[in-house]
Amino acid sequence: MTEMLSVVDLHAEAGGREILKGVDLTVDQGETCVLFGPNGSGKSTLMSTIMGYSNITVTSGQIIFKGKDITDMPVDERAKLGIGMMMQRPPNIYGVKLGDLIRVASPQNGEAVLADADKFKMSGFLDREINVGFSGGEIKRSELLQLTAQKPEFILLDEPESGVDLENIDLIGNKVHDLLYDSACPGRGRHVSSLVITHTGQIMDYIGADKGYVMKNGRIQCRGNPLELLKEIKKNGYGECDACRMIRL
Amino acid sequence: MQDDKAVREALSKKGAYGADIDLDRYEEGSRDAEQISDLKDSKYSAYMEKVGVIADEMNRSGTLMFIDNAPSHCSSAVQEGLEMMPLSQALKVHDGLKDYMWKAVSPTKDKYTAKSYLEDSDGYFVRVKAGYHIKDPVQACMMLDTDRTIQNVHNIVIVEDGASLEMITGCSTSPHANDSLHVGVSEIYVGNDASLAFSMIHNWGKETGVRPRTGTVVGKNSAYTNNYVILNPVGTLQSFPSCTLDEGSSALYNTMCIAHEGSDIDTGGLVYLNGRGSSAQIMSRSISMGGHMCARGRLVGNAPEVKAHLECRSIIMKDGGSTSAVPELEAHVADVEMTHEAAVGKIAQDQIEYLMSRGLSEDEAVSMIVRGFLSGSINGLPAELQRELDEAISQANLGD
Ligand SMILES: Nc1ncnc2c1ncn2[C@@H]1O[C@H](COP(=O)(O)OP(=O)(O)O)[C@@H](O)[C@H]1O
Ligand SMILES: [Mg+2]
């Protein structure tokens, strides 16, 4: 399989502190990879670095996407290359309506997706200022609506199910599924690659997973079968990861 | 009757805010203007459109146009309850109009008002009779067309009891009249159970001086909205419109400004909440592109159950200028709820990058945020104005 994304010995700092301390990770084309790790280990920072947010400075290492070195590429060019991100805590955009952004950002599919907004329980939010006063679940659904219009080839999903109540988890799970699978052509299977941060693994019920990574203290601690990793973490917590040398990279 | 001597003395009285302007630098503006019957075909139509005045008058109840100090066009769709004409003419047909002259703005306020008073300035007169709701906006255009002159106008708007009106005024300078001065006295009267949305859109020259003086008197249970928009370069502009509210009435002041390099803008709103249960909001959104910007707001609570909020937000896009927000609250009774917020800074990078992560270029992201900042989070803009504003923002050349 060809590599979609590869992160090579990536070091990055934010707020004057080194947060990523040599991250190595690959996502192959069509692959769904999950990323586990304790709070504060640097998972969200890694995603923001891959997306290109400038509050994080890469000090060494590389990010290769579809064979291209994108380490120094501005955010919009990464988006145009096919990277999309569901942020854990997206910023409030005062004065800009959600519907307007979708229309401007996705001239081809924007309107069609907006017409479908009720399927995301978002029709009442299109005239609202983006993220302003949105609840946890509303933020997820808004991010999903935007990504559905954007149609990225590779998606970074930062805790898609966290803060979502039971009633909405199906909706989120199914919409994430739709993003990754070509529903128009079921035979084709998965066509979009992804890296997904999850604590509970719940999202895996909807999208499966091919590979799992565990991040600790700014590094990838181990990688392996995602279900087994999850079982291990649920049983022994992340402390055991230190002891486990078998699948240590 | 005013004591003319006192007014003459006021001719040397500097304005409370803003740089002093030497009135002797300018000639009197002409009291003689070409009469334009079809605005579309006039050489001014492009300037008018830039300030929200629609030349073909579609979806407008009527248009009044002044060039320098003289009326040049007045037309209105047949519309019951609406009267519009030059003030000079209105004074001849309405004896009672004298009672509205210089009641909302004092002629001795400063040299600019004194000048208008002593020159007996003409201007527009718009009146909506009691009980009439005028569907489409009335528009007025003030063209400054001669360099080194003063445009000195006196406008009166009256919306009587139970009536409503939306008014759009556009002020513009011809390119060759760059170094000129606009002094406009506007007196606005809103009766009981009435509403007026008054929007002013401006497009001056890089050296134009602007010193408007606006006073509004609002009766009981009425609503007054004042939208003030200036997105293009200006020399020096200072304006601090004031309003008094009676029982149960509300005032909303929205100011949207861009201070370009070389521009000095000092504007805002002052509301006296004199009636029980009256409310006011002063919202200012400004951007400094290297110019000087001062956003003022002052709320005075003189009656119980008053609610008022003041919000000045400013984005600095370029160094070289200065930005200040001056919010003032003053209460004379205990039972009031008055708050203010002020923020000055640059656009947050994470907001720009968030939009870029959806595929917008940096310029597109910045202009979307700026547009939203200027108008999107302000409530109560008439739909018509929102469209004009979007157009003006897209023409305002926010990039380099
Ligand atoms: N902009 C920043 N400035 C300073 N510290 C930051 C910044 N962003 C993240 N951090 C810190 O980096 C560490 C990793 O954060 P994060 O990537 O959000 O962790 P995770 O997503 O794994 O919970 C945390 O200690 C966090 O406080
Ligand atoms: Mg996180």
Side-chain angles (χ1 to χ4, degrees):
Chain A
M1 261 206 253
T2 51
E3 267 174 16
M4 194 75 183
L5 174 83
S6 88
V7 173
V8 186
D9 193 25
L10 190 69
H11 291 254
E13 51 184 49
R17 262 178 61 203
E18 178 162 72
I19 294 167
L20 303 182
K21 302 170 181 171
V23 175
D24 288 283
L25 160 157
T26 59
V27 179
D28 285 335
Q29 192 145 24
E31 203 172 47
T32 298
C33 296
V34 287
L35 181 61
F36 301 110
N39 289 327
S41 56
K43 305 181 299 297
S44 293
T45 303
L46 174 62
M47 285 199 169
S48 298
T49 312
I50 295 170
M51 192 70 241
Y53 274 85
S54 63
N55 59 334
I56 301 150
T57 310
V58 173
T59 48
S60 67
Q62 282 174 309
I63 306 167
I64 312 287
F65 182 70
K66 295 202 288 192
K68 240 192 179 135
D69 187 336
I70 62 163
T71 319
D72 299 315
M73 203 180 255
V75 179
D76 57 328
E77 287 177 33
R78 300 185 201 211
K80 291 207 170 83
L81 271 184
I83 306 181
M85 176 169 178
M86 175 198 261
M87 286 184 97
Q88 187 176 17
R89 274 184 294 270
N92 290 343
I93 316 285
Y94 293 99
V96 180
K97 291 175 184 164
L98 177 61
D100 288 345
L101 172 59
I102 292 176
R103 244 172 247 122
V104 170
S106 311
Q108 299 92 20
N109 349 313
E111 285 301 341
V113 170
L114 290 175
D116 254 3
D118 56 323
K119 299 199 178 116
F120 294 76
K121 291 207 215 163
M122 273 282 129
S123 32
F125 291 79
L126 305 179
D127 282 333
R128 292 259 307 258
E129 296 171 72
I130 301 166
N131 301 327
V132 178
F134 285 18
S135 72
E138 287 159 3
I139 282 184
K140 306 289 177 202
R141 301 203 303 272
S142 152
E143 295 281 286
L144 276 173
L145 190 71
Q146 295 178 54
L147 285 168
T148 303
Q150 191 178 349
K151 288 193 172 174
E153 282 175 66
F154 171 69
I155 308 188
L156 299 155
L157 295 161
D158 196 345
E159 302 195 22
E161 77 276 60
S162 76
V164 178
D165 57 38
L166 284 173
E167 205 181 320
N168 284 298
I169 196 98
D170 262 351
L171 191 159
I172 301 276
N174 288 326
K175 290 300 174 199
V176 173
H177 174 100
D178 292 348
L179 272 177
L180 303 187
Y181 291 83
D182 191 344
S183 52
C185 179
R188 249 187 80 199
R190 192 151 41 207
H191 65 302
V192 169
S193 328
S194 61
L195 181 63
V196 187
I197 298 173
T198 177
H199 286 291
T200 62
Q202 257 176 311
I203 192 70
M204 288 156 66
D205 297 344
Y206 298 87
I207 58 172
D210 304 301
K211 209 155 69 185
Y213 288 98
V214 180
M215 191 159 191
K216 267 195 86 174
N217 194 21
R219 288 192 187 86
I220 299 297
Q221 191 79 9
C222 62
R223 82 169 190 201
N225 179 299
L227 288 173
E228 279 171 25
L229 283 175
L230 181 65
K231 217 162 82 188
E232 189 61 29
I233 293 161
K234 279 191 171 157
K235 203 164 106 206
N236 297 318
Y238 287 108
E240 278 303 304
C241 277
D242 289 332
C244 166
R245 301 284 165 204
M246 294 189 316
I247 38 179
R248 173 100 197 249
L249 282 171
Chain B
M1 226 10 239
Q2 275 292 335
D3 170 5
D4 274 15
K5 183 163 164 281
V7 182
R8 267 195 303 278
E9 276 166 17
L11 271 179
S12 57
K13 192 168 160 190
K14 294 177 181 177
Y17 306 106
D20 183 48
I21 294 178
D22 177 7
L23 297 176
D24 296 334
R25 272 191 73 231
Y26 306 89
E27 302 279 320
E28 292 308 322
S30 166
R31 285 261 180 151
D32 221 359
E34 164 197 357
Q35 295 304 302
I36 299 171
S37 55
D38 188 352
L39 295 171
K40 270 198 315 301
D41 293 335
S42 86
K43 61 180 178 184
Y44 303 105
S45 65
Y47 305 126
M48 297 167 57
E49 298 271 353
K50 275 194 174 166
V51 290
V53 178
I54 309 294
D56 68 8
E57 305 182 64
M58 278 286 282
N59 302 317
R60 294 288 194 259
S61 287
T63 308
L64 273 152
M65 177 159 176
F66 272 73
I67 296 174
D68 295 327
N69 286 341
S72 105
H73 175 91
C74 178
S75 61
S76 69
V78 183
Q79 178 114 236
E80 232 184 309
L82 173 67
E83 238 187 299
M84 42 194 288
M85 62 186 88
L87 182 63
S88 52
Q89 195 183 325
L91 283 166
K92 286 178 201 148
V93 293
H94 289 298
D95 266 353
L97 186 52
K98 284 194 296 294
D99 298 339
Y100 291 90
M101 295 284 284
W102 300 103
K103 292 296 183 297
V105 173
S106 161
T108 56
K109 183 185 172 72
D110 56 28
K111 65 205 272 184
Y112 311 105
T113 56
K115 181 111 179 134
S116 287
Y117 179 88
L118 293 169
E119 270 169 25
D120 232 343
S121 299
D122 201 356
Y124 57 74
F125 167 77
V126 176
R127 170 188 176 214
V128 184
K129 293 181 190 160
Y132 285 93
H133 300 280
I134 305 304
K135 190 175 135 271
D136 292 324
V138 163
Q139 58 183 4
C141 182
M142 297 296 181
M143 273 304 300
L144 237 174
D145 200 36
T146 313
D147 204 31
R148 290 272 180 160
T149 62
I150 306 185
Q151 179 176 56
N152 198 345
V153 292
H154 186 181
N155 308 314
I156 292 197
V157 177
I158 302 172
V159 179
E160 296 180 352
D161 294 354
S164 68
L165 175 69
E166 192 182 306
M167 177 137 187
I168 295 175
T169 70
C171 293
S172 191
T173 343
S174 298
H176 56 263
N178 181 22
D179 182 13
S180 48
L181 175 66
H182 169 89
V183 177
V185 171
S186 298
E187 300 188 88
I188 300 170
Y189 300 90
V190 181
N192 301 325
D193 306 302
S195 87
L196 172 64
F198 190 74
S199 302
M200 290 150 275
I201 308 181
H202 304 90
N203 188 13
W204 310 104
K206 281 193 170 70
E207 291 169 63
T208 313
V210 186
R211 294 289 184 271
R213 299 292 180 253
T214 306
T216 303
V217 179
V218 183
K220 294 187 169 119
N221 304 313
S222 292
Y224 174 63
T225 301
N226 180 97
N227 298 308
Y228 196 89
V229 181
I230 169 150
L231 305 176
N232 293 305
V234 60
T236 163
L237 180 153
Q238 186 278 320
S239 160
F240 198 35
S242 68
C243 172
T244 59
L245 295 178
D246 205 338
E247 241 173 78
S249 281
S250 65
L252 171 60
Y253 277 74
N254 295 316
T255 303
M256 289 150 263
C257 292
I258 300 176
H260 294 265
E261 205 179 325
S263 296
D264 185 357
I265 299 178
D266 182 329
T267 185
L270 162 57
V271 181
Y272 295 95
L273 298 111
N274 293 343
R276 174 182 286 268
S278 55
S279 64
Q281 264 195 76
I282 297 176
M283 312 286 277
S284 162
R285 296 283 187 274
S286 64
I287 291 174
S288 169
M289 303 284 294
H292 297 280
M293 175 72 220
C294 178
R296 281 176 210 282
R298 185 166 146 84
L299 292 163
V300 183
N302 288 326
E305 293 166 44
V306 149
K307 260 182 122 158
H309 181 65
L310 179 65
E311 200 177 293
C312 302
R313 290 178 187 275
S314 203
I315 291 179
I316 302 174
M317 304 261 290
K318 246 195 227 160
D319 288 335
S322 65
T323 298
S324 48
V326 188
E328 287 178 87
L329 303 179
E330 184 182 316
H332 296 277
V333 288
D335 183 18
V336 297
E337 193 183 318
M338 296 166 73
T339 53
H340 77 71
E341 254 179 80
V344 173
K346 60 174 197 243
I347 305 181
Q349 188 64 20
D350 64 335
Q351 295 185 21
I352 298 172
E353 287 173 349
Y354 180 73
L355 300 192
M356 288 169 74
S357 79
R358 303 297 181 217
L360 270 62
S361 70
E362 182 166 3
D363 285 350
E364 288 167 338
V366 167
S367 94
M368 190 161 201
I369 291 170
V370 165
R371 272 176 51 155
F373 170 81
L374 280 177
S375 65
S377 50
I378 284 180
N379 297 319
L381 285 188
E384 191 67 30
L385 178 66
Q386 184 73 59
R387 273 194 293 279
E388 305 302 343
L389 196 59
D390 284 347
E391 182 65 17
I393 292 170
S394 67
Q395 288 183 8
N397 196 15
L398 291 164
D400 279 319

